[in-house]
Amino acid sequence: MNRTGAALLLVAGAGVIAVTLALWGQPLVSASGGIRLWVNSIWSPETSQQVADWYSVSHLVQGMLLALLLRALPLRRPDTVLLWSAFAIGVGWELAEHTDFVLDRFRATTLYQGYLGDTVLNAVMDYVFMLAGVALARALPVGASLALVAVLELASSLIARDSLTLSTLQVVAPQQAVADWQDAIRPARP
């Protein structure tokens, strides 16, 4: 697939996410009205509402892992398969993440209680971060990609106390010790 086709997939995916979530009632931007490039705390009410946060790192890692997985398979047209897979998985996840079933799974863990889903802005940017992860893993050697995935997961886990690995663990098989460790940095409520 050429660059024009890849760009059209990016725009089409972003459009499908934006229109669908808007029709489902997700707000376009944060209720605060402002647009911020980065939200540093997983406990901030602006998390999943702005352009990027620690969960954007998870989406970058998700894209890298997808590209590494598909790179390992003997595919006849690897770039085309990778781009269509990234489109389908990226759009599919952003929509699935906003279903009652998935939202309820998230809310069942201590960290995500009260989670109402992403703003349209954040969901579209999560998709873009996932595609950026795909592009990054395609550009780097496999060893460098794996090392970067490990560094990003470790940094997210230690700094934000959440990562793709920890989020997946807590949604699939919640661990009280992990929940207690994450909760230890929760700001005091007024």
Side-chain angles (χ1 to χ4, degrees):
M1 179 176 290
N2 62 26
R3 289 178 195 251
T4 303
L8 286 173
L9 270 183
L10 174 103
V11 171
V16 168
I17 293 166
V19 169
T20 303
L21 293 184
L23 289 172
W24 287 356
Q26 289 305 114
L28 296 178
V29 295
S30 171
S32 71
I35 295 178
R36 294 169 48 192
L37 294 180
W38 177 255
V39 176
N40 195 43
S41 172
I42 61 171
W43 299 108
S44 171
E46 294 296 307
T47 294
S48 297
Q49 306 300 296
Q50 298 292 341
V51 173
D53 52 41
W54 283 103
Y55 299 106
S56 305
V57 177
S58 292
H59 287 278
L60 187 75
V61 167
Q62 177 189 23
M64 292 182 73
L65 291 173
L66 171 65
L68 288 167
L69 173 69
L70 291 179
R71 203 176 191 180
L73 299 176
L75 301 171
R76 214 174 118 208
R77 297 189 57 150
D79 286 343
T80 301
V81 171
L82 177 60
L83 287 171
W84 279 103
S85 297
F87 168 82
I89 291 169
V91 170
W93 171 248
E94 288 306 319
L95 299 182
E97 182 183 3
H98 291 87
T99 63
D100 289 337
F101 175 78
V102 175
L103 286 170
D104 289 345
R105 293 292 297 179
F106 276 119
R107 290 181 195 126
T109 70
T110 304
L111 183 61
Y112 307 107
Q113 288 177 356
Y115 176 61
L116 300 174
D118 301 348
T119 60
V120 172
L121 169 67
N122 183 262
V124 167
M125 290 309 299
D126 284 348
Y127 172 69
V128 170
F129 276 102
M130 192 272 251
L131 294 178
V134 168
L136 189 57
R138 282 187 65 231
L140 293 174
V142 171
S145 292
L146 289 170
L148 184 55
V149 164
V151 166
L152 291 172
E153 281 292 279
L154 186 61
S156 293
S157 295
L158 294 175
I159 297 168
R161 297 215 182 177
D162 208 6
S163 64
L164 181 60
T165 303
L166 292 174
S167 292
T168 303
L169 173 68
Q170 290 302 90
V171 168
V172 174
Q175 303 296 311
Q176 190 59 47
V178 173
D180 292 344
W181 176 71
Q182 289 174 320
D183 208 36
I185 64 165
R186 182 191 299 258
R189 294 186 179 137

